[in-house]
Amino acid sequence: MMMFAPAKMDMANLVTRLKGYLASPRRPLKVASINALYQLVQRDAFLLSKVGGDKLVEILFGMLDEEDSTSIEGVKNIITNWLTQTVTAAPSAWIDLCQRIMARTTASQQSATLPAASSKGAIFQDEESESLGAGLPGGQSDGAAGHSTARWRTQLFAMECLHRICNVISASGRQEHLDLRFAKLHGIAPKGLFVSRIPDLVRMAFSASAAYVTEIRLAGLVVLRDVITIFAKSPDPDYDDSLLLEQYQAPITAALTPAFSSDSTPEILSSAVQVCAIFVGCGVIKDVTKMGRILKLLTGALDQSKSSGSFSIGDVQQISPNAAVMLRISTLTAWAELLIASPQQDYLKAVIEPYRSTLAMLWIGALRDYASIRGDSEVLQESSSSTIDGLYMNLGKEILLPYYDDAWYRILKAVAIMMQTRDPHILPAMDGKEGAVGSMPQNEGPTALFFVVFGLVYEALVQASTSSTSSASSQPIIIAALETMENLVRPEYAGDAILDNAVFDEFTSLCYRMAMMENATVHIPLVRTIASLASTQFTRNGKQSSSSSHLQLTHCLRICAYVLRKALPSSSNTSEDQSARIGLFNTSFSALAEIGRAFGAETKEDIRGISITLYSELLKDETSEFDLIGPTLPALRTMLDAPPMTSNGIESFGKLIHGLISCCLQNIEETSNRSGPTVVLKSKNNFMAVVLVLSSLHPNVKLGRALIDQFCYLMAQRMETSTEFALTVAQCAKALIAASLVPTTNAVLKHCAGLLIPCLIKLVSIAAAAVDDQEKLPILAPALDEVLKTFTTLFNGVPEASRQAALAVLLPTLALLLDPSRSPLSSLHVQAIPIVLTFASASPGPFKEVTDGLDVGAREVLEASVRLAVSGRQQAASSQPSTKRQISLKAF
C-alpha cells in the first residue's frame, strides 16, 4: 500500500506505529520498521520530517548506541538519505541535532572527564581555546557533563553527518547559505542559514579534535577543513573589503592546536598539516606576518623534513621512522598545494619564496624515494635520499607506499610548475646538486635524476592508458604527469636521451595510445608535450637535417594531426566539454606550427596547408550547436603569420589563401534560403574567417578579383535579405575598411573597401526607412552604430587632400538620418548629428564646399540640423549658473 497507493495511507498513523516498533524487542518487527522508514524517506523525506519531526531522528540516532550491529547500517541509511534531501531547507536543525549528539559522553569518558579536562586544560590553556568556550567536548560545563551517554561510533557518525551537510550545501548552489551579504540583499533572514552556524561548526570541530578516539579526531579535522574550504570566499557582511573567516582565525587555530598534542597519532598530525596548508592557501589571511601559529607549524614541519633524524612537530617529539616519513610526505604535499595555488593567490609567492631551494631538493628527493619503493631496486635503495631509514626499507611496499600513492602526483605537479616557470633551483635539484643555484652547464646527456622522474611519469601514463578511458580519479594524475613530461623533454633535463630510438619509440607509442583513447581534457597537455619536444629538441645543433630526426618529427606530426582530426565535430563525441575542445583546437594548431618550424622552411608550408585544410573542415560543420570558430580565430591568425619570402613561396601561399576563401564562400552559399541558429552561426563564422584572412594579408599576396567581388556581393546580399546579418556585415566591413587605410596594405583591401562602402550606404537607407518601425529599428540600431563608427574611421584615415571626396559620399548618406522638424528628435537623428558636427569642425573648408554642392533638400536638412544642434548647445551652456570662485578647505 505504501509503495503503490500512498494517497490511501494515513501517514501520520503509519509513522507513529513504525516509531513504536523501533523499540520492539522482536527483531523482525524492528528490521521491518527500519526498511519501511527507508522506503518512506526515499519517497518523501519532507513528509517524514513533518510527521516524525526531530523526535524520530533522535530515536534513530539512539538506535546507533545499541549493540545490534545488523540494524545499524539500515538506520544510518535512513538518516543519510533524510539529511541529503532536507538539509538545504533546514541546515540549522541538523546541526543542532549533531551538536546534541556530540555533547553526550561515553561511559569511559564520564569516568575520565574531570582528570582529562584538567590535564588537557593545562596543555591547551591559551586565549584561543578560551575564545571557543570549549573546556570540555561539546563546549559543556563540568556540571553538564555525563548527563547522557553515546557510543563513540555514534559521535563519529554525527561528525560524518556534519561533513555530508557541508558537501550537500556547498554543491546545492544556494548562495544565501554561504554569503550573508547576499542573504541580506535579498531580504533573507540570517537566522537558520548555514553560514550563521560557523561558530558552532568550529566549536564541534574543536571538541572532536580533543576527543579520546582517533577516528573522531580525524573527523573533526575533516569538518574544519570543510569550513575553511566552503567559506574561504564568503565576504564579511559588515566590512566591504574583508572576508568572513578573518574573524575566526583564532578559533580555527585553537581547533587545530589539539591535533599537535603529544598523544596525537601520525594520521592526525598528517591531516592537521594538510588543514594548515589549506588555511594558508585559501586567501583569508594574505599578510604573511599575520598568519601566526599556523604558518609557523608549516615552516617548522618543513625544517624538520630537511633532517634525516627524528621528526618532531608541536608537542610530539618521538615518533617511529615510518611515521616520520609519513609526516614528511604530508608536509611536502602541503607545500606543493601552496605552490599549485600560487598562480591564483599572489601572496603565496611571498610565503614560498624563502624555501624554494629546500622545496626543490625535497620534492625531487621524495619522487626518487617513491621510485625506489615502487621499483624495489637495490641501486636506487643505495642512492636513496636520507628521508627513508635503511632499516625500514623492506617494509616500504606495505607501509610507506600508500602514503606516496596519495601524494606523489601533487608533488609532481609542483615540480612541473617550477620547471615551467624556469625556477633556478629545480635544475640543480634534478642533477642532485644541493645548494647550486642558476643554470647548470648544458651537457649532451640527461640530468642525474631524469630517468627516475621520467620513469614515474611514463609508468603513470601507461597505467592510465590501459583502460578504455581515464576515470575522474585518475585524470588529475594523468594531467600532472603530462605537464611534467612537457618540461622534462626539454634539452636541459633530457639532453639527447629522449631522442634515443628505443626511448623515443616507447614514448611515441604511448602518445599514440593516449591520442586514441583519451578525451580532450587529456589531449591538451599531450599535444603541448609533443610541441615542446619538437620545438626544443629538433631545432638545436642542426638536428632537423638528419633522416632519423625527420622520421621522429613525422611521428610528432601524425599524433597532433590525429588528435586534431578526432576533435572535429564530424568525428568526435559532441558530449565532451566544449571549452576543452576549443582549448584543444587552439593548442593543436599552435603545435602544428611548432612542428612546421622544426621541420624547416620547405616542409613548413606543407604543414601550414595541412592546418588550414583541417580548419576548413571546422568551417564546414553544421552538427555542433556551440560556436567553435569564434574562440579559435586566433589560431587561424597564427597559421597565416610569417608567410614565405621567396617568389615561389608567395605564389603558393596565395593559392592556399585563395582556396581557403573559396571554401568559406562555398559554405556561405550553401546556407542560402535556409534558416536556423546553426545555419546563421555557420554563415557568420565564415564571414568573420574571410575578414580575418583578408585583414592579415601580406602586401605581396595576389588574389583573384572575381573572388573578392563574390565575397562583397554575398555580404550585401545577406544584409538586404536578413536583418540577422546586419550587425555581422557592419562589423566585417568596419574591419576591412580600417585595414585598407594602412599605407602598406594589400591592394585587395582597397578594392574591398570600394565595394563595401555602397553596402554600408544601403544599410543606412534601410535604417532611415524604418525610422517608425518599432520592431525592425531596434534590430538595426547596433549595426547602424557600427556603420557610423566606420564612417568616422574612414574620414579620419584618409589624407587631408581626399577628405572632400570622402565627405561628398558621407554627408548625403548622413542626411538620410536627419529630420530636424521632428519633435521629439528621432533616435537616428540623435545618432547622426554628432558625427556631422565632428566632420564640420575637423575640416570646415571641405565641409562647406560639399554642403554647397548638395541638392536643395539635403542641404536644407543638413543646415537646419546643424543650426538646431549648435543653438541647443548654446542654450545648454547659458542655462548653467555661473560659479563664483570660492576658497575650499582641505583636509590635512
Side-chain angles (χ1 to χ4, degrees):
M1 289 288 290
M2 182 177 64
M3 293 181 63
F4 300 105
K8 302 296 182 180
M9 297 289 294
D10 184 357
M11 288 297 177
N13 183 42
L14 176 63
V15 172
T16 302
R17 292 173 60 189
L18 292 176
K19 188 192 304 182
Y21 293 154
L22 291 175
S24 173
R26 299 170 59 186
R27 184 177 176 277
L29 189 58
K30 181 188 294 187
V31 172
S33 300
I34 292 172
N35 292 333
L37 287 173
Y38 182 70
Q39 295 293 333
L40 277 174
V41 79
Q42 281 190 314
R43 177 178 293 274
D44 192 347
F46 287 96
L47 176 62
L48 194 62
S49 298
K50 183 179 179 180
V51 176
D54 293 345
K55 186 64 177 176
L56 178 58
V57 186
E58 292 182 0
I59 292 173
L60 292 171
F61 264 103
M63 293 180 67
L64 298 178
D65 292 328
E66 299 176 2
E67 296 297 332
D68 185 8
S69 59
T70 56
S71 62
I72 287 179
E73 288 304 317
V75 173
K76 285 184 177 180
N77 289 335
I78 294 173
I79 297 174
T80 301
N81 278 273
W82 196 345
L83 182 151
T84 303
Q85 294 183 53
T86 62
V87 70
T88 54
S92 279
W94 284 102
I95 293 174
D96 288 337
L97 178 64
C98 294
Q99 203 170 18
R100 290 196 294 272
I101 299 300
M102 290 302 299
R104 299 174 184 174
T105 57
T106 63
S108 60
Q109 287 172 333
Q110 286 180 16
S111 61
T113 294
L114 292 177
S118 60
S119 62
K120 287 206 172 192
I123 297 174
F124 301 115
Q125 191 69 28
D126 60 13
E127 59 183 10
E128 292 175 340
S129 60
E130 288 177 358
S131 69
L132 285 166
L136 288 170
Q140 294 187 12
S141 63
D142 293 346
H147 285 186
S148 59
T149 61
R151 295 178 64 197
W152 70 265
R153 294 188 183 277
T154 305
Q155 293 181 333
L156 176 61
F157 181 67
M159 295 303 297
E160 292 172 353
C161 287
L162 281 178
H163 175 57
R164 181 175 290 273
I165 289 171
C166 295
N167 288 339
V168 172
I169 292 182
S170 64
S172 67
R174 297 279 297 274
Q175 191 176 350
E176 67 273 14
H177 280 305
L178 310 179
D179 189 343
L180 278 175
R181 188 178 299 173
F182 176 87
K184 289 183 178 180
L185 185 64
H186 291 78
I188 302 173
K191 184 179 179 181
L193 295 178
F194 186 55
V195 67
S196 67
R197 303 304 301 270
I198 292 179
D200 297 312
L201 293 172
V202 177
R203 189 177 295 113
M204 281 188 281
F206 176 85
S207 300
S209 65
Y212 298 94
V213 181
T214 299
E215 288 81 356
I216 295 180
R217 299 178 71 179
L218 288 172
L221 290 173
V222 170
V223 171
L224 188 62
R225 182 190 62 196
D226 291 337
V227 171
I228 297 171
T229 304
I230 293 172
F231 297 105
K233 304 299 181 184
S234 298
D236 193 305
D238 300 321
Y239 302 97
D240 293 338
D241 298 329
S242 300
L243 295 174
L244 186 61
L245 285 188
E246 288 184 32
Q247 57 185 290
Y248 295 103
Q249 182 184 8
I252 289 173
T253 304
L256 280 169
T257 301
F260 296 96
S261 61
S262 58
D263 60 344
S264 294
T265 63
E267 290 81 7
I268 293 174
L269 291 170
S270 176
S271 180
V273 168
Q274 294 293 326
V275 175
C276 288
I278 290 172
F279 185 76
V280 170
C282 71
V284 173
I285 307 297
K286 297 184 179 181
D287 189 348
V288 178
T289 61
K290 296 180 180 179
M291 290 181 182
R293 188 186 306 176
I294 293 179
L295 182 58
K296 289 180 181 178
L297 288 168
L298 276 179
T299 55
L302 183 61
D303 290 336
Q304 290 290 319
S305 300
K306 294 189 291 186
S307 62
S308 59
S310 61
F311 193 103
S312 62
I313 182 173
D315 295 333
V316 181
Q317 300 298 327
Q318 298 294 330
I319 57 177
S320 67
N322 282 338
V325 173
M326 176 183 179
L327 289 176
R328 286 189 177 95
I329 296 170
S330 180
T331 301
L332 295 179
T333 306
W335 281 93
E337 294 283 7
L338 293 181
L339 182 65
I340 293 169
S342 61
Q344 290 77 37
Q345 302 281 7
D346 288 339
Y347 74 94
L348 289 177
K349 297 176 182 177
V351 176
I352 299 169
E353 187 61 35
Y355 309 99
R356 283 187 175 272
S357 178
T358 300
L359 289 170
M361 290 299 301
L362 291 177
W363 282 336
I364 296 298
L367 294 178
R368 178 172 57 183
D369 292 340
Y370 181 50
S372 174
I373 297 173
R374 289 197 61 129
D376 200 19
S377 167
E378 294 181 0
V379 176
L380 282 175
Q381 287 180 24
E382 292 174 1
S383 62
S384 176
S385 68
S386 58
T387 58
I388 297 181
D389 194 313
L391 296 176
Y392 291 84
M393 182 62 70
N394 293 331
L395 301 176
K397 282 187 175 295
E398 291 76 15
I399 299 176
L400 300 179
L401 191 58
Y403 304 156
Y404 281 100
D405 283 337
D406 293 336
W408 80 277
Y409 74 92
R410 285 174 283 182
I411 295 175
L412 187 70
K413 189 174 182 67
V415 170
I417 292 174
M418 294 190 83
M419 290 180 172
Q420 184 68 37
T421 56
R422 307 298 176 102
D423 191 286
H425 302 99
I426 192 63
L427 187 57
M430 283 290 295
D431 229 4
K433 298 181 179 179
E434 186 173 359
V437 181
S439 299
M440 302 291 294
Q442 183 61 51
N443 300 320
E444 288 296 320
T447 57
L449 297 177
F450 165 76
F451 283 108
V452 173
V453 181
F454 181 83
L456 282 175
V457 171
Y458 184 85
E459 183 181 7
L461 295 176
V462 167
Q463 289 179 350
S465 63
T466 53
S467 59
S468 58
T469 55
S470 60
S471 63
S473 60
S474 65
Q475 198 165 90
I477 301 176
I478 298 173
I479 293 176
L482 286 172
E483 288 175 348
T484 307
M485 186 72 81
E486 176 186 353
N487 300 282
L488 203 60
V489 297
R490 298 205 306 255
E492 58 263 35
Y493 300 108
D496 289 336
I498 191 67
L499 299 182
D500 180 79
N501 288 333
V503 176
F504 190 85
D505 289 345
E506 290 293 332
F507 172 70
T508 51
S509 297
L510 174 62
C511 292
Y512 276 121
R513 185 187 305 174
M514 297 186 71
M516 290 185 288
M517 300 176 64
E518 298 295 343
N519 55 24
T521 304
V522 175
H523 281 160
I524 292 174
L526 173 65
V527 171
R528 283 205 304 259
T529 301
I530 298 295
S532 175
L533 175 65
S535 62
T536 58
Q537 288 286 355
F538 296 101
T539 56
R540 63 190 187 106
N541 301 330
K543 293 183 180 297
Q544 58 189 4
S545 60
S546 64
S547 59
S548 61
S549 297
H550 192 279
L551 179 61
Q552 290 174 341
L553 272 173
T554 303
H555 283 294
C556 295
L557 174 62
R558 288 173 179 170
I559 294 169
C560 289
Y562 176 81
V563 169
L564 187 53
R565 183 74 182 180
K566 183 181 178 182
L568 293 175
S570 57
S571 57
S572 68
N573 183 8
T574 56
S575 63
E576 285 189 359
D577 182 17
Q578 299 304 315
S579 61
R581 290 177 67 196
I582 291 170
L584 179 58
F585 285 134
N586 289 322
T587 304
S588 300
F589 285 120
S590 298
L592 288 178
E594 294 286 353
I595 295 171
R597 282 190 285 271
F599 264 112
E602 185 175 348
T603 312
K604 175 184 174 182
E605 296 307 311
D606 296 334
I607 296 178
R608 193 203 301 269
I610 293 173
S611 300
I612 289 180
T613 301
L614 291 173
Y615 196 85
S616 66
E617 291 293 322
L618 194 60
L619 290 167
K620 294 178 182 178
D621 175 62
E622 292 186 26
T623 60
S624 176
E625 297 180 357
F626 300 92
D627 183 10
L628 300 176
I629 298 297
T632 58
L633 284 176
L636 177 60
R637 181 64 178 265
T638 303
M639 297 178 217
L640 303 175
D641 287 342
M645 292 294 101
T646 63
S647 58
N648 292 335
I650 285 289
E651 184 179 355
S652 300
F653 183 73
K655 293 180 180 178
L656 182 64
I657 298 300
H658 191 286
L660 176 60
I661 296 176
S662 298
C663 177
C664 292
L665 297 185
Q666 183 178 356
N667 295 335
I668 295 170
E669 289 175 345
E670 287 175 355
T671 61
S672 300
N673 302 322
R674 291 196 290 149
S675 61
T678 305
V679 173
V680 173
L681 181 63
K682 177 181 177 180
S683 298
K684 290 181 178 180
N685 284 335
N686 278 271
F687 273 124
M688 290 190 293
V690 175
V691 170
L692 177 65
V693 172
L694 293 177
S695 59
S696 60
L697 205 58
H698 190 272
N700 296 331
V701 175
K702 297 180 180 179
L703 297 176
R705 180 183 292 271
L707 184 72
I708 303 303
D709 292 346
Q710 178 67 8
F711 167 65
C712 295
Y713 167 76
L714 288 174
M715 287 185 67
Q717 182 191 47
R718 290 303 171 92
M719 184 198 66
E720 293 179 9
T721 58
S722 175
T723 55
E724 292 177 306
F725 289 95
L727 179 60
T728 302
V729 170
Q731 292 173 337
C732 291
K734 177 185 175 183
L736 291 174
I737 291 173
S740 68
L741 298 173
V742 179
T744 60
T745 190
N746 195 301
V748 171
L749 288 171
K750 296 185 180 298
H751 181 66
C752 278
L755 295 177
L756 291 175
I757 289 175
C759 177
L760 299 182
I761 295 173
K762 180 67 174 178
L763 182 59
V764 171
S765 65
I766 293 174
V771 65
D772 295 319
D773 192 337
Q774 298 303 319
E775 295 183 1
K776 188 175 182 180
L777 187 60
I779 299 175
L780 294 174
L784 180 62
D785 186 57
E786 291 294 326
V787 171
L788 297 180
K789 291 178 182 178
T790 305
F791 287 169
T792 304
T793 302
L794 177 62
F795 176 78
N796 294 329
V798 298
E800 185 67 31
S802 303
R803 285 194 171 180
Q804 183 173 342
L807 289 174
V809 176
L810 299 178
L811 288 181
T813 305
L814 293 172
L816 297 175
L817 304 175
L818 301 178
D819 188 1
S821 62
R822 190 173 184 136
S823 182
L825 297 174
S826 67
S827 59
L828 301 182
H829 182 100
V830 174
Q831 276 184 284
I833 194 60
I835 300 175
V836 174
L837 295 177
T838 301
F839 292 167
S841 60
S843 301
F847 184 88
K848 185 176 184 305
E849 292 182 8
V850 173
T851 304
D852 292 340
L854 295 176
D855 60 81
V856 178
R859 184 172 65 250
E860 290 179 352
V861 169
L862 193 61
E863 291 175 350
S865 299
V866 171
R867 291 193 192 97
L868 182 62
V870 172
S871 62
R873 289 185 179 182
Q874 292 174 349
Q875 290 177 3
S878 61
S879 63
Q880 294 181 354
S882 59
T883 58
K884 296 182 180 180
R885 298 183 63 183
Q886 298 177 348
I887 299 175
S888 61
L889 299 178
K890 295 183 178 179
F892 289 80

